[in-house]
Amino acid sequence: MASPRTVLSSLSLLVILIHCFSPIHSSNTIGKGYRLISVEESPDGGFIGYLQVKQKTNIYGSDITTLRLFVKHETDNRLRVHITDAEKQRWEVPYNLLPREQPPPTVGKSIGKSRNSQFTVQEITGTELVFSFTKDPFTFAVKRRSNGQTLFNTSSDTNSPFGQMVFKDQYLEISTSLPKDASLYGLGENSQAKGIKLVPNEPYTLYTEDVSAINLNTDLYGSHPVYMDLRNVGGKPSAHAVLLLNSNGMDVFYRGTSLTYKVIGGVFDFYFVAGPSPLDVVDQYTSLIGRPAPMPYWSLGFHQCRWGYHNLSVVEDVVDSYKKAKIPLDVIWNDDDHMDAHKDFTLNNISYPRAKLLKFLDRIHKMGMKYIVINDPGIGVNASYGVYQRAMANDVFIKYEGKPFLAQVWPGPVYFPDFLNPKTVAWWGDEIRRFHELVPIDGLWIDMNEVSNFCSGLCTIPKGKQCPSGEGPGWICCLDCKNITKTRWDDPPYKINATGVTAPIGFKTIATSALHYNGVREYDAHSLYGFSETIATHKGLQSIKGKRPFILSRSTFVGSGRYAAHWTGDNKGTWQSLRVSISTMLNFGIFGVPMVGSDICGFYPQPTEELCNRWIEVGAFYPFSRDHANYYSPRQELYQWDTVAKSARNALGMRYKLLPYLYTLSYEAHMTGAPMARPLFFSFPEYTKCYGLSTQFLLGSSLMISPVLKKGRTQVKALFPPGSWYHMFDMTQAVVTKTGKRVALPAPLNFVNVHLYQNTILPMQQGGLISKEARTTPFSLVITFPAGATEGYATGKLYLDEDELPEMKLGNGQSTYVDFYASVGNGTVKMWSQVKEGKYALSKGWVIGKVSVLGLKGAGPASDIEINGSPISSEAKKKIEVSSKEHTYVVGIEEEEEGENKSVMVEVKGLEMMVGKDFNMSWKMGIN
């Protein structure tokens, strides 16, 4: 659901941006910097230093006199730099929410004199990262040991666009210089109109807000203060990442040759991960913040939702209509239509009578389908409402001046649970249990958790009138409210560019002077609300179901991917929103939230038929694939237009064949953090032309999607990195390039271009209308070699398990992992597997029925086929069918390279090789 925010005129917005991003005070006048007065090794292998302010100023408050510096190489490839007040404990992201090493305590430690006062520069060297510093003024740099590159450097001079480090109670500032050719990615959540690569002088504000994703370059639902920096020096690429772990609101100014953080509280808690490949970076980053959550197999199927399914019969009709149209569907969703007066954990027994709902759920559950409903954090203030009664009895709400803070969301007046309170987590889990007993849901969708409030300030319930009235949009504030500006927490000295218009930080959310458990201020914890709710929801679902939880959260923070999937919020049925969805999806892979997607066809208003065709051709390949629409928009299920239904059958048909591959990618994500959807530079970091590419993407390392993203186009100009690429819908078609090229590909309305790269083994199945049935079909392997190569090698992977077990791992007797290998050389094609824990796959009877090998040199038929070291029997020959087809090469914008070799695709059908057993297979190729 959405709640609109006031949109200023373009002129007003321009004035505000100029004011915000051209600060009155230069950095040199805000603070004068610090000097290092002491440094020594700490017992845990780190280093502790003390910093003293050089000269205090009063802009944005007074400087903190003494700071404590803690530096530690936590792993071979991760360095931590932590700076805080030496005398008083300051707010940090709670260690119980995001588990990590704690620095030595600051309070009560004496400040000694430096043992190294004669040195002006010193280095603390790790395996790959080197921390160096200057004493007066204190600056620090992080370098890569292997090649000497400076990754982060806070030193400045008179020509620098930034000044010294500043550390005040409500204003922290620090900067780094950057090489001009560095490519930066991350710093979200926002809708980046110019693509995934960060653009100098665009606003990057991090503070969780209920601002529609149609608003470009402003702070949205999540806060991820991390960026990846990719460089290519002398043809050698290397990537690293920088995380500033801080939940306070911040502006980040990227100028192309420098980056400046301006933060309104907390501490400097930097983590540097060394890479050097983009995949290494995400692996190292998620080893710190938490590996992505294991996802159930069915969650990779297609999902349908709408705000406005007024009664159960409509939902039943949607499910039946998908089946009738032969469009795959795994999960049906309800927005708040199933609720009693929009209240959490309730059921409207008129429009969703429980007996009929249970009968419907029993029917779809037997089919293998699932059911998910929405849940908002606001609890309706209603004395007859059991959830509210139990919440009050357990004292679980956020407080303002000792009383629960009053807000308004869909039920009307609400209080917000405080998920930093252990009692709240227990109460929330109990409410999930109670609701699950009422309705056997298969997952939860937690929305509005930035947190969203239709009102601002200190509010009371009006007397003598109904609130809300029940007429008109439900998002109009009907409480009696007054602004809260009496504290520095509500009106901080530095104004971040909140909502893109420098709005007060308490605007349409919880008052920032409100208090959480143990006196924690909303000012500090605001951007953690959705994250803390996600953790509580995960605990609740896991305890009642004993299965792998599925949670979809709108608001996210560093570490949210450990518990939940994410959708990109309230987008628009426009071509621009379609294009932006790719950048946002790719960013969340970097953030450690790989299960991500956007509302297919747009949340509002209704898309055109052409746009919805093109959107499902993209959305079918989002990791999380769901069609969702607004209450006020016409219906837009994929069967509503015949052409869209055709595109859906085509694109989703391919997705359902690829489910084994997608599920293996989700396993890799859980084990290593590897994004499921990736920018091309993840696989081709040497190819600099793809560094800013945001109109194509990869699934895994080698499956490339090149969609149409503009109106009226029947051709797409796709960038192909060097190598051989084979079209998944017609494997005889290949694009071959030695140096990389743009190629004009045909793209009629119902067609999407999907290409598989060389040296890959792709496991597939035959598809179906529900993942449960698709999972029972025979497997096939697609093996790709460089076109026409006389020698080649390819690899692939497959992970299978009982997908609703809480953990996704080997060793439980209910999972199997297979490594596939293939080679070609001396006129012989070989393929073989190495199986780990094959018992589970054998129990399911899974077989490989077909092998397709692409790019083989030669033109004659395959001969002398052997399986497991023996020629195939005469009986087997009756079943096995061998065919070959010559590849055709697509001509691109550039001229084809000379010396192109002819190559063929060989298919072997009728095989019965067990997935759960090692196999080997070979044949001789006929040669021209």
Side-chain angles (χ1 to χ4, degrees):
M1 283 187 289
S3 56
R5 292 291 184 92
T6 303
V7 180
L8 298 182
S9 69
S10 299
L11 180 60
S12 299
L13 182 58
L14 180 61
V15 170
I16 287 168
L17 288 175
I18 290 172
H19 171 74
C20 183
F21 289 90
S22 302
I24 296 170
H25 302 289
S26 72
S27 295
N28 289 326
T29 60
I30 296 172
K32 301 295 185 179
Y34 286 78
R35 65 172 62 90
L36 181 67
I37 60 172
S38 170
V39 62
E40 61 184 10
E41 191 168 355
S42 62
D44 63 353
F47 288 82
I48 292 175
Y50 289 92
L51 312 175
Q52 190 173 70
V53 69
K54 289 170 67 73
Q55 181 183 337
K56 290 191 175 185
T57 73
N58 290 316
I59 301 168
Y60 303 141
S62 181
D63 300 83
I64 292 175
T65 304
T66 309
L67 303 178
R68 201 281 302 270
L69 166 72
F70 175 69
V71 179
K72 186 178 181 183
H73 291 278
E74 293 188 335
T75 70
D76 287 348
N77 46 49
R78 186 172 79 228
L79 169 70
R80 186 181 191 182
V81 179
H82 182 278
I83 303 173
T84 188
D85 189 333
E87 305 293 340
K88 296 180 181 177
Q89 186 172 350
R90 289 181 62 81
W91 165 258
E92 297 185 46
V93 175
Y95 285 82
N96 63 330
L97 280 188
L98 190 65
R100 59 202 189 279
E101 289 187 40
Q102 294 198 42
T106 57
V107 179
K109 295 287 184 180
S110 61
I111 302 173
K113 293 183 178 180
S114 173
R115 300 185 216 170
N116 301 298
S117 58
Q118 69 270 31
F119 298 116
T120 55
V121 178
Q122 185 166 334
E123 291 186 345
I124 300 171
T125 303
T127 304
E128 174 58 359
L129 297 177
V130 178
F131 176 87
S132 63
F133 57 87
T134 62
K135 290 186 175 182
D136 191 2
F138 169 74
T139 67
F140 73 87
V142 178
K143 297 180 182 179
R144 192 184 291 281
R145 188 176 181 183
S146 57
N147 61 14
Q149 276 189 29
T150 298
L151 309 184
F152 196 91
N153 187 355
T154 69
S155 63
S156 64
D157 55 34
T158 54
N159 297 317
S160 300
F162 58 87
Q164 300 298 325
M165 183 180 77
V166 182
F167 203 118
K168 302 168 186 277
D169 190 25
Q170 288 183 270
Y171 182 83
L172 286 68
E173 179 180 327
I174 197 167
S175 303
T176 178
S177 56
L178 292 167
K180 189 179 295 185
D181 58 353
S183 296
L184 268 58
Y185 311 88
L187 296 178
E189 177 181 8
N190 59 26
S191 295
Q192 296 172 199
K194 296 179 181 177
I196 185 175
K197 188 174 171 180
L198 297 187
V199 177
N201 303 315
E202 292 280 359
Y204 297 100
T205 298
L206 282 70
Y207 189 71
T208 61
E209 299 270 13
D210 176 8
V211 176
S212 170
I214 67 173
N215 293 280
L216 303 176
N217 300 323
T218 188
D219 47 323
L220 299 179
Y221 313 107
S223 177
H224 295 270
V226 61
Y227 68 86
M228 180 187 290
D229 181 337
L230 176 61
R231 304 177 188 180
N232 191 304
V233 178
K236 294 183 178 180
S238 62
H240 67 275
V242 180
L243 166 68
L244 172 55
L245 186 56
N246 184 304
S247 62
N248 290 84
M250 69 179 77
D251 288 329
V252 184
F253 296 84
Y254 172 49
R255 301 179 185 88
T257 57
S258 67
L259 185 143
T260 297
Y261 299 90
K262 298 187 176 188
V263 194
I264 60 172
V267 302
F268 289 133
D269 194 2
F270 282 104
Y271 291 86
F272 301 89
V273 295
S277 75
L279 272 179
D280 290 334
V281 167
V282 180
D283 183 4
Q284 294 154 14
Y285 180 58
T286 56
S287 73
L288 167 67
I289 67 168
R291 299 297 194 192
M295 291 291 156
Y297 200 91
W298 54 261
S299 69
L300 296 171
F302 184 68
H303 303 242
Q304 178 61 52
C305 184
R306 175 180 169 80
W307 179 25
Y309 287 149
H310 299 296
N311 55 54
L312 178 59
S313 63
V314 177
V315 176
E316 291 175 311
D317 180 68
V318 170
V319 171
D320 293 340
S321 295
Y322 266 94
K323 186 175 182 180
K324 184 178 178 181
K326 296 183 179 179
I327 300 171
L329 180 66
D330 257 76
V331 190
I332 188 71
W333 295 57
N334 263 129
D335 207 305
D336 73 350
D337 304 287
H338 69 286
M339 294 181 182
D340 175 21
H342 310 287
K343 298 194 299 291
D344 281 349
F345 304 117
T346 64
L347 191 63
N348 184 328
N349 273 310
I350 296 174
S351 53
Y352 284 81
R354 182 169 182 259
K356 290 185 177 180
L357 178 59
L358 292 179
K359 186 176 179 182
F360 166 71
L361 294 182
D362 183 60
R363 175 168 74 91
I364 68 168
H365 282 153
K366 286 178 179 175
M367 293 163 55
M369 288 185 63
K370 305 296 179 181
Y371 178 61
I372 294 175
V373 299
I374 199 169
N375 215 51
D376 294 339
I379 301 299
V381 178
N382 185 326
S384 63
Y385 172 33
V387 177
Y388 170 79
Q389 293 169 352
R390 291 185 290 273
M392 290 297 289
N394 283 282
D395 191 24
V396 301
F397 293 122
I398 292 171
K399 302 286 180 57
Y400 185 84
E401 295 183 343
K403 297 178 181 179
F405 176 78
L406 183 69
Q408 180 189 330
V409 200
W410 300 112
V414 299
Y415 295 151
F416 291 119
D418 173 13
F419 292 103
L420 299 183
N421 186 342
K423 287 200 302 183
T424 308
V425 176
W427 159 82
W428 188 252
D430 184 60
E431 295 301 340
I432 292 173
R433 177 191 62 78
R434 289 170 181 266
F435 185 68
H436 189 265
E437 290 174 356
L438 184 72
V439 181
I441 55 169
D442 298 290
L444 275 175
W445 169 20
I446 51 177
D447 192 11
M448 309 289 283
N449 52 350
E450 293 75 30
V451 67
S452 178
N453 180 0
F454 298 163
C455 302
S456 298
L458 184 60
C459 304
T460 57
I461 299 174
K463 295 180 180 178
K465 70 173 184 178
Q466 185 177 341
C467 174
S469 65
E471 299 178 359
W475 56 72
I476 304 300
C477 180
C478 57
L479 301 177
D480 290 336
C481 303
K482 61 181 181 180
N483 289 335
I484 305 175
T485 58
K486 62 185 178 182
T487 77
R488 61 192 179 102
W489 311 112
D490 300 295
D491 187 24
Y494 176 76
K495 317 299 184 199
I496 62 170
N497 191 33
T499 71
V501 294
T502 324
I505 55 174
F507 178 67
K508 295 294 183 76
T509 187
I510 299 169
T512 44
S513 54
L515 295 180
H516 292 253
Y517 179 69
N518 272 351
V520 170
R521 290 187 187 90
E522 170 69 9
Y523 180 88
D524 295 312
H526 171 83
S527 290
L528 296 175
Y529 193 90
F531 181 40
S532 60
E533 184 197 16
T534 300
I535 295 172
T537 304
H538 188 272
K539 287 181 179 178
L541 281 174
Q542 200 166 48
S543 66
I544 58 155
K545 293 180 63 184
K547 295 181 179 180
R548 196 173 296 173
F550 180 83
I551 300 165
L552 184 72
S553 179
R554 190 168 76 175
S555 186
T556 59
F557 187 72
V558 176
S560 284
R562 185 179 181 182
Y563 307 97
H566 173 64
W567 95 108
T568 63
D570 300 332
N571 59 2
K572 212 171 185 178
T574 64
W575 293 93
Q576 184 180 57
S577 277
L578 170 59
R579 290 190 293 272
V580 167
S581 75
I582 295 176
S583 298
T584 308
M585 169 185 69
L586 297 178
N587 262 327
F588 270 87
I590 293 172
F591 296 154
V593 189
M595 188 65 166
V596 60
S598 295
D599 287 344
I600 293 171
C601 297
F603 183 63
Y604 67 95
Q606 185 186 34
T608 64
E609 183 175 348
E610 180 193 3
L611 175 59
C612 202
N613 269 280
R614 294 309 191 185
W615 210 317
I616 186 56
E617 290 168 1
V618 178
F621 301 99
Y622 293 154
F624 172 64
S625 183
R626 184 184 72 159
D627 182 315
H628 180 45
N630 190 322
Y631 184 96
Y632 296 99
S633 297
R635 295 280 291 273
Q636 64 182 47
E637 293 85 5
L638 301 179
Y639 53 78
Q640 296 289 345
W641 300 274
D642 289 343
T643 63
V644 176
K646 183 178 179 181
S647 293
R649 285 189 290 269
N650 190 42
L652 287 173
M654 178 58 72
R655 180 189 182 91
Y656 273 62
K657 292 176 183 177
L658 291 169
L659 284 176
Y661 178 65
L662 292 175
Y663 194 61
T664 302
L665 292 180
S666 77
Y667 172 72
E668 289 183 353
H670 178 56
M671 300 306 292
T672 69
M676 297 172 66
R678 306 172 191 175
L680 268 65
F681 68 75
F682 265 67
S683 290
F684 304 96
E686 299 88 359
Y687 190 55
T688 57
K689 289 182 180 179
C690 68
Y691 281 15
L693 186 66
S694 303
T695 54
Q696 298 165 246
F697 60 94
L698 295 171
L699 287 177
S701 62
S702 53
L703 193 70
M704 183 170 72
I705 321 300
S706 306
V708 171
L709 301 173
K710 291 184 178 180
K711 181 180 179 180
R713 301 293 175 88
T714 56
Q715 188 183 73
V716 62
K717 294 179 180 177
L719 182 66
F720 284 84
S724 299
W725 297 85
Y726 300 92
H727 204 298
M728 288 298 296
F729 288 92
D730 180 358
M731 295 181 192
T732 63
Q733 289 189 25
V735 173
V736 181
T737 170
K738 292 180 181 177
T739 58
K741 68 170 73 169
R742 282 201 176 272
V743 179
L745 301 171
L749 186 63
N750 305 119
F751 188 81
V752 58
N753 282 282
V754 181
H755 288 82
L756 185 64
Y757 192 56
Q758 65 188 34
N759 307 325
T760 300
I761 301 179
L762 180 73
M764 300 175 69
Q765 286 177 283
Q766 294 179 4
L769 296 182
I770 298 174
S771 66
K772 182 180 179 181
E773 66 180 46
R775 223 183 167 194
T776 64
T777 62
F779 280 81
S780 62
L781 298 179
V782 180
I783 302 171
T784 59
F785 293 115
T790 56
E791 293 185 353
Y793 188 72
T795 61
K797 305 168 186 174
L798 176 64
Y799 176 79
L800 302 159
D801 71 359
E802 197 62 49
D803 72 300
E804 293 198 78
L805 290 174
E807 294 187 75
M808 190 181 214
K809 64 178 184 179
L810 293 172
N812 56 13
Q814 298 187 72
S815 55
T816 294
Y817 186 86
V818 186
D819 281 306
F820 295 110
Y821 304 92
S823 67
V824 60
N826 299 318
T828 300
V829 178
K830 298 179 181 179
M831 61 204 71
W832 64 99
S833 70
Q834 293 180 355
V835 179
K836 296 177 183 175
E837 303 183 28
K839 180 180 177 182
Y840 173 71
L842 291 172
S843 73
K844 296 294 183 180
W846 282 315
V847 298
I848 297 168
K850 182 175 78 169
V851 172
S852 303
V853 185
L854 315 184
L856 293 171
K857 184 177 179 62
S863 61
D864 299 335
I865 298 175
E866 293 187 357
I867 297 177
N868 295 328
S870 301
I872 55 175
S873 66
S874 56
E875 191 66 28
K877 286 181 180 178
K878 296 176 183 178
K879 298 179 182 178
I880 293 176
E881 179 183 338
V882 183
S883 62
S884 65
K885 295 180 182 178
E886 188 171 316
H887 287 299
T888 57
Y889 297 102
V890 177
V891 178
I893 295 170
E894 302 168 357
E895 292 183 4
E896 288 288 345
E897 288 85 352
E898 295 180 4
E900 192 172 69
N901 291 315
K902 287 187 176 181
S903 63
V904 297
M905 172 181 77
V906 173
E907 280 194 348
V908 182
K909 300 179 182 178
L911 299 169
E912 293 182 347
M913 298 185 296
M914 301 302 296
V915 173
K917 282 186 178 179
D918 290 355
F919 74 84
N920 62 75
M921 179 179 177
S922 65
W923 66 73
K924 298 287 186 183
M925 280 298 298
I927 304 295
N928 280 332

